[in-house]
C-alpha cells in the first residue's frame, strides 16, 4: 500500500520535462523587465524546487548556476533519478524524497533565494498547499522569489466538468491497475458520451476541442494531469490570498508577452483595465480578457520596484545570445492574433546579436552604433525575442566559467543515456543557465562529434554501430521501420547532415560545445 502518496497519482513516473521559468537567469530577466529588483545570483545563492518530477530542470540549473540546489519529490524513483544526474554532474545538488510536510522539519536547509514549484499547486490538497506556504514562510529569504504555476479560472471553466468525468469514471468503473488502461478507459467513455451529444457539450462547444487535444497527449502525462484525487482550479486572487502568510507579493507572470499589453489586448481592454487601481484586481480582470487557463507567477517576499533608469541600465548590462541561426521576422503571433514591431527597431537588435559570429553580448555600446533605436525600444525588442525563445539572457562570465565542467559532465550523461533510453531530450548551457532541447539522435551525434568524427558519413556510421549493437532500427514518419543497414546508414547520414548544419551551430552559440 502506497501510504506516502497522499492521493497523488503515483502508478507511473512523470515525464522528463525542462522549464525555463525555474532558471534563476530567466527569473532575474522577468523581474527586471517588469521593473522589480531581483535577488542577485552568486556563489552564495541557494535555490529549491518542490516536486521536481524526474528532476531535469533542477539538475540542469544545479549544473549551470552558482550556489546550492536543494529539492524534494516524495516519489523515491524520482529522487533516485534526480540524484543520479547530480552525481554525474558533480553539482552538489541535494535531492530528497521527503513530502512537503516532512521538508518543514529539516534542520539542514539554507535560506533560499528562490523556491519554485511547477505543475504542483493544482494537484495537491489544501493541506499540502498549506505546507508549501509554511515552507516559503520559513525558508525564503527576504527579497527571494517564489515561482508557482497552476490551472486557473476563468479559462478552465468549459473543460473542468470533463476533467471531473474522467475521475468519476475511474472511481466508479475501475478498469484495472495499469495507468494506460485506466486513462484509456476514461478517454473512451468520454468519447462515447460526447458522440451522444450531451447538452453540456452543446452549451460549451470548446469542450470537444479540449478533449481532442487531451486525446493526443501521452497517457502518463494525462494520468498526472487529470487523475489525481486533488485537483484545485483557483482564481489568481485565491492564490494571492493563500500566499499572504509567507509575506509574498505578486510581481509578474513568467509569460513575457504579458508585459506587452499593446500586443495582446484591444485598446478597449487596455482602457478598461486602466481604470482599476488595485494591481491584484487588475491582474485578475486581465485573466478574463485573455481567458487565462494556466498561470505561471512570480511572487517576491518584499517587492522592491526599480527606478526606470536603473531597470533599463541593468537590462542593457545583461549579456544575451541568439538561440537560432534562422531568419527572425519582426512580425509574430501573440494570443490576440498577429503582432508586428517596426523593422527599423527589431532588425538592428537582431543583427547586433548575430555580429561577431553570434558571440554573447550586452547592449551597453549598442546606442553608439544605433542612436536611432532608443534604449527603451532595445529593451522591448529583447523582451519579445526572449519571450519567443529566440534569444536567451546569459549569466556573467565567472558563473559561466565555473559551470562549464559541470555542464560537460551532465551533457555527457544525457548523451550516454541516449544510447539506451533516450528519454532526456536536453543539454545544459553554461552560458544561458538553461537548456537546449535536442533529440536523442542528435545527442548521439554530439557524443561522436566530440571524438573528432566530424563529417556526416562518419557520424552516421558511428551511430549505426550503436544501433546495431542493441538491435535498433530507425523508424521514419513516411517509410516506417528501415530494415537494411544501407537504408539506416543513408537516413542517419541525412540526419547527421542536419545536425551539423542546424543543431551544432546552436550548441556552439550556447557554449554547450
Ligand atoms: C505533475 S508532477 C510535476 C513534476 C515537475 N515539477 C515537472 O513539472 O516536470 C508533480 C510532482 O510532485 C510530486 N509531489 C506531489 N505531491 C507531493 C508531496 N506532497 N510532497 C512531495 N512531492 C510531491 C509528485 O511525485 C510529482 O513528481
Amino acid at each position: 500500500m502506497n501510504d506516502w502518496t497522499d492521493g497523488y497519482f503515483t502508478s507511473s513516473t512523470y515525464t522528463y520535462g525542462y522549464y525555463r521559468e525555474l532558471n534563476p537567469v530567466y527569473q532575474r530577466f522577468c523581474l527586471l523587465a517588469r521593473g522589480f529588483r531581483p535577488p542577485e545570483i552568486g556563489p552564495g545563492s541557494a535555490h529549491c524546487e518542490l516536486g521536481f518530477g524526474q528532476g531535469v530542470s533542477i539538475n540542469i540549473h544545479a549544473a549551470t548556476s552558482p550556489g546550492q540546489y536543494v529539492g524534494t519529490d516524495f516519489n523515491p524513483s524520482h529522487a533516485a533519478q534526480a540524484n543520479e544526474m547530480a552525481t554525474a554532474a558533480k553539482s552538489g545538488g541535494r535531492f530528497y524524497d521527503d513530502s512537503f510536510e516532512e521538508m518543514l522539519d529539516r534542520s539542514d536547509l539554507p535560506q533560499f533565494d528562490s523556491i519554485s514549484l511547477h505543475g504542483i499547486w493544482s494537484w495537491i490538497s489544501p493541506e499540502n498547499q498549506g505546507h508549501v506556504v509554511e515552507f516559503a514562510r520559513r525558508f525564503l529569504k527576504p527579497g527571494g522569489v517564489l515561482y508557482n504555476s497552476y490551472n486557473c479560472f476563468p479559462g478552465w471553466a468549459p473543460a473542468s466538468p470533463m476533467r471531473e468525468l474522467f475521475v468519476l469514471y475511474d472511481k466508479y468503473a475501475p478498469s484495472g491497475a495499469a495507468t494506460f488502461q485506466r486513462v484509456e478507459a476514461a478517454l473512451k467513455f468520454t468519447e462515447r458520451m460526447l458522440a451522444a451529444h450531451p447538452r453540456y457539450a452543446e452549451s460549451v462547444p470548446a469542450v470537444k476541442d479540449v478533449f481532442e487535444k487531451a486525446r493526443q497527449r501521452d497517457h502518463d502525462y494525462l494520468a498526472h494531469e487529470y487523475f489525481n484525487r486533488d485537483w484545485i482550479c483557483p482564481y489568481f486572487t485565491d492564490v494571492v490570498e493563500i500566499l499572504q502568510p509567507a509575506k509574498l507579493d505578486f510581481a509578474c507572470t513568467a509569460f513575457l508577452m504579458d508585459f506587452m499589453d499593446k500586443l495582446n489586448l484591444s485598446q478597449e481592454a487596455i482602457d478598461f483595465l486602466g481604470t482599476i487601481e488595485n494591481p491584484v484586481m487588475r491582474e485578475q480582470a486581465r485573466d478574463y480578457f485573455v481567458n487565462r487557463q494556466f498561470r505561471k507567477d512570480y511572487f517576491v517576499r518584499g517587492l522592491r520596484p526599480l527606478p526606470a533608469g536603473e531597470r533599463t541600465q541593468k537590462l542593457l548590462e545583461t549579456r544575451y545570445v541568439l538561440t537560432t541561426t534562422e531568419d527572425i521576422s519582426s512580425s509574430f503571433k501573440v494570443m490576440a492574433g498577429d503582432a508586428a514591431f517596426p523593422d527599423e527597431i527589431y532588425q538592428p537588435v537582431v543583427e547586433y546579436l548575430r555580429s561577431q559570429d553570434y558571440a554573447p553580448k550586452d547592449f551597453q555600446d549598442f546606442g553608439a552604433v544605433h542612436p536611432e533605436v532608443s534604449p527603451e525600444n532595445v529593451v522591448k525588442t529583447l523582451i519579445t525575442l526572449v519571450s519567443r525563445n529566440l534569444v536567451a539572457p546569459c549569466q556573467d562570465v565567472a558563473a559561466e566559467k565555473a559551470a562549464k565542467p559541470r555542464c560537460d559532465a551532465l551533457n555527457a550523461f544525457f548523451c550516454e543515456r541516449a544510447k539506451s533510453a533516450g528519454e532526456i531530450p536536453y543539454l545544459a548551457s553554461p552560458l544561458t543557465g538553461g537548456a537546449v532541447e535536442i533529440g536523442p539522435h542528435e545527442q548521439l551525434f554530439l557524443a561522436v562529434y566530440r571524438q573528432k568524427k566530424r563529417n556526416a558519413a562518419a557520424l552516421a556510421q558511428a551511430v549505426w554501430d550503436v544501433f546495431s549493437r542493441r538491435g535498433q532500427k530507425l523508424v521514419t514518419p513516411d517509410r516506417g521501420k528501415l530494415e537494411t543497414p544501407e537504408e539506416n546508414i543513408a537516413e542517419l547520414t541525412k540526419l547527421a547532415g542536419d545536425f551539423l548544419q542546424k543543431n551544432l551551430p546552436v550548441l556552439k552559440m550556447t557554449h554547450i560545445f
Side-chain angles (χ1 to χ4, degrees):
M1 171 82 185
N2 281 337
D3 55 5
W4 53 268
T5 64
D6 215 3
Y8 193 83
F9 189 94
T10 54
S11 304
S12 66
T13 50
Y14 199 62
T15 47
Y16 289 81
Y18 170 79
Y19 304 97
R20 69 172 173 171
E21 295 79 8
L22 284 74
N23 177 355
V25 181
Y26 183 80
Q27 295 188 346
R28 174 181 181 275
F29 180 76
C30 289
L31 289 173
L32 281 178
R34 204 51 170 167
F36 297 115
R37 196 175 291 280
E40 282 314 325
I41 307 166
S45 305
H47 305 279
C48 178
E49 185 177 352
L50 298 175
F52 51 61
Q54 297 288 5
V56 177
S57 302
I58 196 166
N59 266 291
I60 287 179
H61 300 141
T64 57
S65 317
Q68 294 183 60
Y69 273 81
V70 179
T72 195
D73 190 300
F74 69 2
N75 187 327
S77 313
H78 291 174
Q81 171 67 80
N83 279 312
E84 189 183 339
M85 289 186 232
T87 305
K90 296 197 176 67
S91 65
R94 290 189 283 143
F95 306 134
Y96 303 111
D97 66 351
D98 288 353
S99 68
F100 301 146
E101 185 177 13
E102 287 165 339
M103 276 301 266
L104 290 172
D105 294 331
R106 290 202 83 92
S107 55
D108 55 356
L109 298 181
Q111 290 286 298
F112 294 109
D113 295 272
S114 79
I115 297 176
S116 296
L117 45 154
H118 182 78
I120 307 293
W121 190 257
S122 291
W123 298 269
I124 57 174
S125 63
E127 195 187 355
N128 273 315
Q129 289 182 348
H131 298 319
V132 169
V133 180
E134 179 58 14
F135 187 80
R137 196 188 68 77
R138 287 191 202 174
F139 294 108
L140 189 64
K141 281 182 193 170
V145 182
L146 181 101
Y147 167 68
N148 189 14
S149 65
Y150 49 95
N151 288 334
C152 65
F153 285 125
W156 254 97
S160 75
M162 184 193 81
R163 182 267 165 192
E164 203 58 30
L165 195 62
F166 291 165
V167 179
L168 292 174
Y169 185 78
D170 191 49
K171 182 172 165 194
Y172 288 102
S175 52
T179 304
F180 188 90
Q181 281 166 8
R182 284 173 61 186
V183 174
E184 192 55 27
L187 287 172
K188 286 227 166 84
F189 174 76
T190 309
E191 195 166 33
R192 282 195 292 115
M193 180 191 270
L194 290 177
H197 304 293
R199 282 252 177 94
Y200 156 59
E202 265 149 42
S203 67
V204 191
V207 81
K208 289 191 185 121
D209 197 33
V210 176
F211 178 75
E212 282 314 317
K213 286 205 178 109
R215 194 82 184 91
Q216 282 152 26
R217 299 299 296 252
D218 164 62
H219 281 57
D220 281 341
Y221 168 85
L222 290 174
H224 285 261
E225 171 74 38
Y226 293 111
F227 286 73
N228 278 314
R229 182 191 65 197
D230 298 301
W231 192 80
I232 298 174
C233 191
Y235 286 88
F236 162 69
T237 42
D238 295 332
V239 179
V240 171
E241 282 170 26
I242 294 175
L243 293 177
Q244 266 166 9
K247 303 185 185 171
L248 288 161
D249 301 320
F250 172 68
C252 58
T253 75
F255 295 108
L256 284 161
M257 282 297 179
D258 281 356
F259 303 1
M260 304 278 168
D261 273 351
K262 286 216 165 103
L263 300 184
N264 282 298
L265 299 173
S266 65
Q267 194 53 47
E268 209 180 358
I270 295 174
D271 291 346
F272 176 83
L273 292 171
T275 63
I276 306 173
E277 224 164 275
N278 182 307
V280 170
M281 185 59 215
R282 195 182 322 122
E283 185 67 19
Q284 178 63 82
R286 198 180 184 285
D287 277 359
Y288 281 77
F289 280 96
V290 298
N291 197 22
R292 180 103 60 191
Q293 194 178 20
F294 188 68
R295 288 193 62 95
K296 298 178 180 181
D297 290 343
Y298 292 125
F299 289 83
V300 174
R301 184 171 184 140
L303 203 54
R304 287 181 300 158
L306 270 176
E310 196 179 340
R311 165 199 179 251
T312 305
Q313 186 54 30
K314 278 186 182 291
L315 285 165
L316 296 181
E317 278 167 6
T318 302
R319 295 189 302 162
Y320 300 88
V321 69
L322 279 166
T323 54
T324 178
T325 53
E326 287 173 15
D327 284 346
I328 293 178
S329 167
S330 317
S331 310
F332 45 90
K333 293 248 172 272
V334 291
M335 229 188 293
D338 295 318
F341 255 60
D343 268 345
E344 53 282 18
I345 294 175
Y346 223 69
Q347 293 308 330
V349 172
V350 171
E351 277 316 310
Y352 193 69
L353 287 163
R354 280 205 187 108
S355 64
Q356 298 163 352
D357 207 13
Y358 295 91
K361 50 191 71 71
D362 63 47
F363 279 75
Q364 294 185 91
D365 298 333
F366 180 83
V369 192
H370 289 285
E372 75 284 6
V373 186
S374 69
E376 194 41 44
N377 277 332
V378 173
V379 164
K380 279 190 185 154
T381 304
L382 287 168
I383 291 173
T384 65
L385 287 166
V386 175
S387 169
R388 295 167 71 194
N389 232 332
L390 301 169
V391 164
C394 305
Q395 54 183 354
D396 64 41
V397 176
E400 180 193 342
K401 216 168 149 204
K404 182 73 173 128
R406 298 191 298 264
C407 290
D408 285 349
L410 185 63
N411 291 338
F413 174 89
F414 289 152
C415 293
E416 187 57 33
R417 175 104 173 199
K419 285 188 186 164
S420 55
E423 291 157 322
I424 313 180
Y426 303 99
L427 293 169
S429 162
L431 178 63
T432 67
V436 169
E437 196 167 352
I438 191 164
H441 297 139
E442 288 70 27
Q443 287 177 332
L444 291 175
F445 289 138
L446 177 65
V448 178
Y449 191 88
R450 280 193 195 278
Q451 296 158 7
K452 310 250 174 324
K453 291 191 179 138
R454 302 217 159 154
N455 64 60
L459 292 177
Q461 186 59 53
V463 172
W464 173 242
D465 292 344
V466 173
F467 276 26
S468 38
R469 269 199 299 279
R470 65 182 196 218
Q472 190 186 334
K473 288 175 177 158
L474 277 177
V475 180
T476 64
D478 44 344
R479 288 182 293 153
K481 194 181 215 181
L482 303 181
E483 292 299 344
T484 68
E486 294 72 25
E487 282 175 313
N488 277 277
I489 291 172
E491 185 64 22
L492 282 170
T493 308
K494 196 163 124 310
L495 292 175
D498 288 347
F499 166 78
L500 292 172
Q501 213 197 332
K502 293 186 191 146
N503 301 99
L504 194 62
V506 175
L507 300 184
K508 287 184 176 164
M509 285 148 62
T510 50
H511 296 184
I512 288 173
F513 181 77

